[in-house]
């Protein structure tokens, strides 16, 4: 699930489980106590010895580095089966009577389905108070450890004037230069439309401004019909790509000889949060809970940032060399965080349906 690129249409959502409450242990070693992780949880997780995940491949937001740190610290082995979001949900439901996976990672729009299908049980990690209210369920059924921001990746060798806003992209000089995925089948593309909606007075409850904007773009011939990939970006086939900033930053980092610039549109854009959880009936629930503790710890948040996403805990300070790879903090002042995850799910369907009416 390296880019979590699936449609919101007809899709479901998932999150958090806890096993029975753990009794505090008075004699926790200093290192463990400092992390806020009960020694009993660590011992129980080590006894389970392994953790099984769905959709956490090494390439997705640096889960490879995060899991490596987790296994090194606790000696717990890990097995992942990569799946797209829809497959993860259908598999969790199919396996409800005999669960296999312990944890997963999904977009915020899946949170309502997690609740409706009882795919999680409450668990609040030691850093719960630092998680913003819009990024967690008050009952502890899910929470988001990181987010991305919708932006532009611009090949400045091919684009003379780098666009800074959504409205810039409507200019005739950008005709035939823009690459994006299809909102009828791509969650990333749907969030692109939502990002432009925020820039034009819309929100997750009102996506029409985004559809109106893209109709103008289509009528003016700005899209070139190419679905972006790392390969066609490298080939120069996508002078301007609308994508998550973490994808854009990764492409920039992997192609240092190209003059690639990452732009956060200053007239408004959207953040995309991703939730993690312990699955209901997890066979290795303590190991999964311990992984959640690690994901939200300073080490875990830093590992996510090394995958170019934004840690949810603002108290985590990134090293200067890593921070320098991101656009400046001021560029992110235009970012809007969806607060209504139920509306966010419906927004995906509305965008997909609306795109059918404006696409040529």
């Amino acid at each position: 699930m390296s880019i979590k690129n699936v449609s919101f249409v007809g899709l479901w959502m998932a999150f958090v489980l806890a096993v029975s409450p753990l009794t505090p242990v008075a004699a926790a070693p200093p290192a463990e106590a400092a992390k806020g992780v009960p020694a009993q949880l660590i011992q129980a997780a080590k006894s389970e010895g392994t953790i099984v995940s769905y959709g956490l491949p090494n390439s997705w937001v640096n889960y490879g580095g995060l899991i490596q740190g987790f296994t090194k610290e606790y000696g717990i082995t890990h097995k992942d089966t990569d799946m797209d979001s829809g497959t993860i949900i259908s598999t969790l439901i199919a396996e409800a009577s005999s669960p296999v996976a312990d944890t997963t990672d999904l977009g915020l729009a899946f949170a309502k389905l997690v609740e409706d299908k009882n795919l999680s049980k409450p668990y609040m990690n030691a850093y719960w108070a630092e998680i913003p209210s819009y990024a967690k369920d008050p009952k502890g059924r899910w929470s988001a450890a990181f987010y991305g921001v919708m932006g532009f990746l611009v090949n400045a060798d091919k684009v003379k004037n780098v666009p800074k806003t959504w409205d810039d992209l409507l200019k005739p000089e950008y005709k035939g230069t823009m690459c994006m995925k299809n909102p009828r089948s791509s969650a990333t593309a749907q969030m692109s439309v939502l990002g432009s909606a925020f820039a034009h007075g819309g929100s997750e409850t009102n996506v029409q401004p985004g559809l109106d904007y893209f109709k103008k773009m289509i009528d003016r011939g700005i899209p070139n019909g190419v679905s972006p990939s790392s390969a066609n970006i490298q080939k120069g086939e996508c002078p301007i790509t609308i994508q998550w900033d973490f994808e854009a930053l990764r492409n920039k980092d992997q192609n240092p000889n190209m003059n690639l610039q990452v732009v956060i549109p200053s007239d408004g854009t959207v953040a995309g949060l991703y939730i993690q959880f312990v699955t209901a009936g997890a066979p290795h629930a303590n190991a999964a809970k311990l992984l959640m503790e690690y994901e939200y710890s300073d080490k875990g948040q830093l590992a996510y940032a090394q995958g170019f996403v934004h840690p949810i805990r603002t108290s985590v300070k990134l090293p200067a060399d890593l921070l320098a790879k991101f656009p400046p903090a001021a560029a992110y002042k235009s970012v809007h965080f969806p607060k209504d995850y139920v509306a966010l799910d419906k927004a995906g369907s509305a965008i997909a349906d609306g795109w059918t009416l404006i696409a040529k």
Side-chain angles (χ1 to χ4, degrees):
M1 190 169 11
S2 58
I3 56 175
K4 305 281 179 175
N5 183 30
V6 294
S7 174
F8 286 87
V9 183
L11 284 184
W12 306 328
M13 330 172 181
F15 202 52
V16 202
L17 170 133
V19 181
S20 56
L22 294 168
T23 304
V25 176
E32 294 172 350
K35 297 172 189 172
V37 182
Q40 185 179 351
L41 174 59
I42 295 172
Q43 182 179 359
K46 287 183 175 181
S47 296
E48 291 172 347
T50 192
I51 186 170
V52 177
S53 63
Y54 287 163
L56 306 187
N58 290 346
S59 58
W60 171 241
V61 299
N62 193 37
Y63 266 113
L66 188 150
I67 295 295
Q68 183 180 31
F70 174 75
T71 56
K72 181 179 179 180
E73 184 153 341
Y74 296 112
I76 296 171
T77 61
H78 171 248
K79 179 181 178 181
D80 181 69
T81 300
D82 191 15
M83 302 178 183
D84 65 36
S85 300
T87 303
I88 289 172
I89 295 298
S90 60
T91 302
L92 291 178
I93 292 175
E95 295 175 347
S97 62
S98 184
V100 175
D102 302 303
T103 190
T104 188
D105 171 298
L106 297 165
L108 177 63
F110 292 95
K112 183 62 166 59
L113 186 71
V114 172
E115 297 173 5
D116 290 347
K117 296 295 183 179
N118 296 314
L119 298 179
S120 69
K121 286 186 179 180
Y123 180 67
M124 298 183 183
N125 60 69
Y127 306 91
W128 194 258
E130 292 189 48
I131 303 172
S133 59
Y134 57 78
K136 63 186 177 185
D137 169 53
K139 297 180 180 179
R141 291 172 293 183
W142 54 265
S143 59
F146 63 89
Y147 64 92
V149 172
M150 192 57 63
F152 313 148
L153 178 66
V154 182
N155 185 338
D157 288 328
K158 293 185 172 293
V159 177
K160 181 179 178 180
N161 300 310
V162 175
K164 301 298 183 183
T165 67
W166 292 99
D167 282 348
D168 280 349
L169 281 182
L170 295 176
K171 295 176 180 178
E173 65 187 281
Y174 301 118
K175 184 175 181 178
T177 65
M178 190 275 285
C179 294
M180 68 177 292
K181 298 185 184 224
N182 190 330
R184 285 173 288 198
S185 59
S186 165
T188 296
Q190 290 167 5
M191 293 296 279
S192 298
V193 177
L194 184 57
S196 69
F198 273 111
H200 295 91
S203 68
E204 68 268 30
T205 61
N206 177 21
V207 302
Q208 193 59 47
L211 290 167
D212 293 343
Y213 166 81
F214 271 94
K215 185 179 188 307
K216 292 180 183 178
M217 182 178 280
I218 291 169
D219 289 346
R220 299 178 191 189
I222 307 300
N224 61 13
V226 176
S227 181
S229 67
S230 295
N232 56 33
I233 289 171
Q234 289 173 351
K235 293 175 185 176
E237 296 173 355
C238 290
I240 300 173
T241 305
I242 301 179
Q243 61 182 185
W244 292 117
D245 63 341
F246 58 86
E247 294 180 277
L249 289 164
R250 183 182 64 222
N251 279 314
K252 178 178 173 66
D253 191 61
Q254 292 177 350
N255 297 282
N257 295 325
M258 296 181 67
N259 188 11
L260 298 177
Q261 297 188 26
V262 179
V263 177
I264 307 303
S266 61
D267 48 353
T269 189
V270 68
L273 294 97
Y274 289 83
I275 61 174
Q276 302 69 41
F277 57 91
V278 184
T279 61
H284 313 101
N286 292 302
K289 290 165 70 176
L290 186 59
L291 177 61
M292 286 188 65
E293 295 289 353
Y294 190 84
E295 288 171 341
Y296 288 81
S297 71
D298 289 8
K299 290 180 180 178
Q301 295 282 280
L302 177 58
Y304 281 130
Q306 290 168 338
F308 297 114
V309 291
H310 304 266
I312 200 65
R313 291 180 50 224
T314 58
S315 62
V316 176
K317 303 304 179 185
L318 305 186
D321 58 341
L322 177 58
L323 194 60
K325 294 184 177 183
F326 287 79
Y332 289 97
K333 291 182 178 179
S334 64
V335 178
H336 297 266
F337 288 84
K339 305 295 176 66
D340 187 339
Y341 61 90
V342 177
L344 184 62
D345 177 39
K346 294 178 181 178
S349 298
I351 290 169
D353 293 342
W355 194 265
T356 300
L357 300 176
I358 66 174
K360 293 181 179 181

